[in-house]
Amino acid sequence: MVQVTVQLKGAKPVELNLDGTVHQVTVADVKRGVQKQVTKFVPNRQRLTLVPTGKEKPTALTEDNKSLADYGLSGSNVTIRLKDLGYQVAYRALYLWEYLSQKIYGPYEPSTLQLCAYYWGITGGLIGLTLYRPAYGAKALKGTLLDNPKWIGFWTAFIIINELLNLNTHLHQASIRTPPGVKRKYPTGFGFQWIVCANYFFETMGVLGMVIMTGGDIGTIVYLAIASYFMGTWAKGKYRRYKKEQDPKVFPGRRWIYIPGLF
């Protein structure tokens, strides 16, 4: 029998008595025990960590199938900390909503509902206000390069190809997604053999194609700058995570992080 004290900030600790030893009791067992006592704490809402002994960042118990002993815990009385991650939206619903928004307005990072509001609101309004102004009307563009069907056709095809490649990367990433608590897999599909965040690269190329096709419309330029900044930030974060979770010689290896030759 293992007595597990689960500390929760601002609330009374959850006391669990679990059958077995620390070598037998798993992280999943602890999460199920917490949920039995506090029903709102479904497993994917719980982030369990060890109690830090100093100023070091606490070790997270990320893999549900590992035992408490695998994380260095011993004895029949152990203490763990729990962080409430809040209500979790079903991944499929969030993915569809965010993916639809980024197909219309741009790239996304599948983790926050705030980004949906950003792409549907700020970005859509920004590009809409600049592209649909009179200066981009049929009469104003007549006889210019932007009125040339070959020009429009080429860059439209360029955008579509990159968006399809982007879609392919997302489908591949969805296919290797692991359940909560199981070690992540690294992507190996087309594009990932050269670039760690190939999805961000293809998405950026699609936005770049729109900038060129519109002759450098200010709205698309500003959007490209904003999108590139966020995707660059996300790419650096993913790169650091992959180096920590995977064999860095295998993945990321010598791949570019985001934009070949630049990033």
Side-chain angles (χ1 to χ4, degrees):
M1 179 75 70
V2 178
Q3 183 176 352
V4 181
T5 299
V6 182
Q7 299 177 343
L8 181 63
K9 186 176 181 180
K12 184 179 178 181
V14 176
E15 300 290 346
L16 304 175
N17 290 301
L18 303 175
D19 292 332
T21 67
V22 289
H23 295 278
Q24 298 168 320
V25 175
T26 65
V27 174
D29 293 331
V30 175
K31 289 183 177 181
R32 284 192 291 267
V34 171
Q35 186 184 8
K36 285 182 180 180
Q37 293 198 30
V38 187
T39 55
K40 72 175 182 178
F41 286 141
V42 295
N44 66 357
R45 185 169 177 166
Q46 302 178 42
R47 182 176 187 271
L48 300 178
T49 64
L50 301 180
V51 178
T53 56
K55 295 183 179 180
E56 296 181 359
K57 186 177 180 180
T59 300
L61 281 59
T62 56
E63 297 188 46
D64 285 3
N65 58 347
K66 281 192 173 183
S67 70
L68 299 182
D70 290 333
Y71 286 99
L73 295 171
S74 60
S76 58
N77 293 277
V78 299
T79 302
I80 294 172
R81 284 186 179 177
L82 184 153
K83 180 179 180 181
D84 180 11
L85 299 178
Y87 177 73
Q88 303 293 298
V89 178
Y91 173 74
R92 179 174 294 181
L94 182 60
Y95 177 85
L96 291 174
W97 183 250
E98 288 189 349
Y99 196 78
L100 179 59
S101 68
Q102 68 108 7
K103 288 300 99 184
I104 297 176
Y105 300 128
Y108 80 108
E109 169 72 1
S111 60
T112 62
L113 287 172
Q114 288 89 340
L115 287 176
C116 285
Y118 169 76
Y119 290 120
W120 284 102
I122 298 175
T123 305
L126 173 67
I127 295 178
L129 285 173
T130 58
L131 276 182
Y132 294 101
R133 69 184 192 272
Y136 273 84
K139 291 183 179 180
L141 296 179
K142 187 175 182 180
T144 68
L145 180 64
L146 301 186
D147 188 42
N148 188 319
K150 292 183 179 179
W151 175 266
I152 299 298
F154 175 84
W155 289 110
T156 297
F158 179 86
I159 294 170
I160 291 174
I161 289 171
N162 278 282
E163 291 300 344
L164 289 175
L165 290 172
N166 181 39
L167 173 61
N168 180 63
T169 63
H170 285 297
L171 293 175
H172 172 66
Q173 288 177 313
S175 71
I176 63 172
R177 180 172 293 274
T178 58
V182 178
K183 185 178 179 180
R184 302 173 192 266
K185 297 179 181 180
Y186 60 84
T188 58
F190 180 77
F192 292 106
Q193 65 267 53
W194 305 298
I195 310 169
V196 174
C197 296
N199 51 317
Y200 295 157
F201 170 73
F202 292 132
E203 187 63 42
T204 300
M205 290 299 99
V207 178
L208 178 63
M210 183 166 61
V211 172
I212 298 174
M213 182 175 69
T214 59
D217 168 64
I218 185 62
T220 60
I221 292 176
V222 171
Y223 176 56
L224 176 62
I226 294 173
S228 297
Y229 168 77
F230 279 112
M231 286 190 286
T233 301
W234 298 331
K236 286 189 289 186
K238 287 190 173 184
Y239 177 74
R240 288 192 295 267
R241 190 181 71 199
Y242 281 131
K243 287 188 69 176
K244 182 179 180 181
E245 296 180 354
Q246 309 293 338
D247 180 352
K249 293 182 180 180
V250 177
F251 196 93
R254 298 182 61 83
R255 294 169 176 80
W256 296 100
I257 299 177
Y258 172 27
I259 301 177
L262 296 177
F263 201 105

